[in-house]
Amino acid sequence: MGDNQSKQTRPRPRPKGRTPKPAPRAPTRYFAFGSNLWQSQMAQRCPGSPYAGVGRLRGFEWFINARGYANIAPTSTSSTINPNPGYVADDTDNEVWGLVYDLSAADEKKLDLNEGVPWAYEKKMVPVEFWPVSGNPEVINMLVYIDFKRDQGGHQPKAEYVHRMNMGIDDAVREGVPQAYVDVVLRRYIPEVDRRAIRVAISEETGISVRQINRIYARAIERGFEPNHRPFILRDEWLEDAPRAGRPSKQTPEVIEKIVKQVRHDRFGREKTAADLAGTLSLEGIDISATTVLRILKLAGFKKTKPTRKPGATKKPSGGN
């Protein structure tokens, strides 16, 4: 009896194997109203969080706070939905428009660092009117970063922030954020810069294409240039080209000097072909092609000519023995 009871009450052994991993968390809908309107910046900060649509947060106002960055604060207006993303209420001070991203768990941690949680901003879920890229409009809770400590406007934006906001405004308007909202709300703090006209003028003055100017400008900003800082601060390392990949140039000052010296100070050197000069240099351990030699001579001002002889100055070879 005792043996049978002990067998019946003995716990069953657990099946061998790994504990199943929890299912990955669904993306969080993130409502961006500041410089993360700039989709290139958002793609760099959160590469796994695609753009999802346009959003409008009713009952909030947009401003620049004491830190010099965008913030929002609640007003007395309640949240209602309107199915037209181009619609703007009469009182634009009581709504905030933005872009929505599907924020992955990993990117949310990165964004927390970028936003300075919890010192600069705090995280809050709020109901947002949402017009997705595909599908019907709806009101859903979204993640928003809000600075509850510095909740008053009337401050100047940081110089570098103006550029990022202008880039974000371009993207936001293209996606459907109303131009009227930009003109009435954002332009109170963010001055518009006619970047295209400035670059066209620079192109006409320098002969550099607008596309190349855009590349130089973007590279300078990546390296630390602040376009809205006054007075301008420019550093050589912000503008210089990155080193090119590939073989090092053979046209060193020493090689150029040797080639030019042979031609300029030696009559027989002037009568040699580019291939002869390249062969002479190879005896000194300098591996250089005839084409490169010819290119160096052209840059130095030399022209390709045939050797000339005065009649009768050169003895004709005698025939026979």
Side-chain angles (χ1 to χ4, degrees):
M1 290 284 292
D3 291 339
N4 291 336
Q5 288 180 352
S6 63
K7 290 179 180 179
Q8 292 175 357
T9 58
R10 186 180 299 166
R12 294 181 179 180
R14 294 181 178 179
K16 295 182 180 180
R18 296 180 180 178
T19 304
K21 295 182 179 180
R25 193 201 76 180
T28 300
R29 288 279 162 79
Y30 160 58
F31 177 75
F33 58 81
S35 66
N36 283 337
L37 295 171
W38 188 9
Q39 292 175 336
S40 294
Q41 173 179 286
M42 189 61 189
Q44 187 175 23
R45 289 180 172 183
C46 304
S49 302
Y51 166 72
V54 175
R56 177 174 63 179
L57 178 59
R58 298 291 298 273
F60 280 76
E61 61 176 329
W62 190 99
F63 54 86
I64 297 293
N65 67 8
R67 292 181 60 244
Y69 297 106
N71 194 27
I72 59 175
T75 64
S76 58
T77 303
S78 61
S79 177
T80 57
I81 189 169
N82 186 290
N84 178 10
Y87 170 83
V88 179
D90 293 335
D91 188 3
T92 51
D93 286 333
N94 287 316
E95 62 184 17
V96 176
W97 288 81
L99 300 185
V100 179
Y101 300 91
D102 285 333
L103 195 64
S104 69
D107 283 346
E108 185 173 336
K109 294 179 181 179
K110 297 176 185 176
L111 195 57
D112 288 349
L113 294 175
N114 280 118
E115 301 297 334
V117 175
W119 302 280
Y121 290 94
E122 298 176 48
K123 301 164 72 172
K124 185 177 178 63
M125 299 298 293
V126 295
V128 177
E129 296 175 83
F130 178 44
W131 292 268
V133 173
S134 61
N136 298 321
E138 57 182 334
V139 176
I140 60 175
N141 282 336
M142 294 189 185
L143 173 64
V144 182
Y145 290 82
I146 302 176
D147 187 346
F148 291 102
K149 299 182 180 70
R150 291 157 285 266
D151 58 356
Q152 298 296 318
H155 301 277
Q156 290 295 316
K158 288 187 176 294
E160 59 85 19
Y161 194 64
V162 173
H163 169 73
R164 292 193 284 132
M165 277 301 306
N166 271 310
M167 299 299 287
I169 288 171
D170 289 346
D171 286 348
V173 171
R174 185 181 64 251
E175 297 294 355
V177 170
Q179 184 65 51
Y181 167 77
V182 172
D183 295 339
V184 174
V185 177
L186 303 187
R187 290 304 179 199
R188 291 177 184 168
Y189 293 93
I190 307 299
E192 185 175 10
V193 179
D194 190 353
R195 298 180 295 277
R196 173 70 184 176
I198 293 173
R199 293 173 196 182
V200 168
I202 295 173
S203 177
E204 293 174 351
E205 184 70 22
T206 62
I208 302 174
S209 69
V210 173
R211 179 177 293 182
Q212 183 63 21
I213 291 170
N214 289 339
R215 293 195 188 104
I216 295 171
Y217 184 70
R219 184 171 64 233
I221 289 175
E222 289 177 359
R223 295 175 178 179
F225 172 58
E226 294 188 2
N228 295 289
H229 187 278
R230 297 295 184 274
F232 277 122
I233 298 176
L234 287 175
R235 297 177 181 171
D236 291 341
E237 59 266 27
W238 294 346
L239 301 174
E240 61 189 8
D241 291 333
R244 295 184 178 181
R247 294 179 297 176
S249 173
K250 296 178 181 179
Q251 298 185 39
T252 63
E254 293 79 10
V255 172
I256 294 173
E257 184 180 1
K258 282 180 178 292
I259 294 172
V260 173
K261 189 174 181 180
Q262 283 192 48
V263 175
R264 184 169 289 163
H265 301 293
D266 183 358
R267 178 175 71 83
F268 298 103
R270 288 195 293 274
E271 295 178 357
K272 290 181 179 178
T273 65
D276 292 335
L277 294 172
T280 302
L281 291 171
S282 67
L283 298 176
E284 301 179 26
I286 301 173
D287 183 18
I288 191 169
S289 69
T291 303
T292 302
V293 170
L294 190 60
R295 187 182 302 118
I296 290 172
L297 291 174
K298 285 183 178 180
L299 290 173
F302 292 95
K303 295 181 180 180
K304 190 175 180 181
T305 59
K306 294 182 179 180
T308 58
R309 296 286 185 272
K310 290 182 179 180
T314 305
K315 292 183 180 180
K316 294 182 178 180
S318 57
N321 294 328

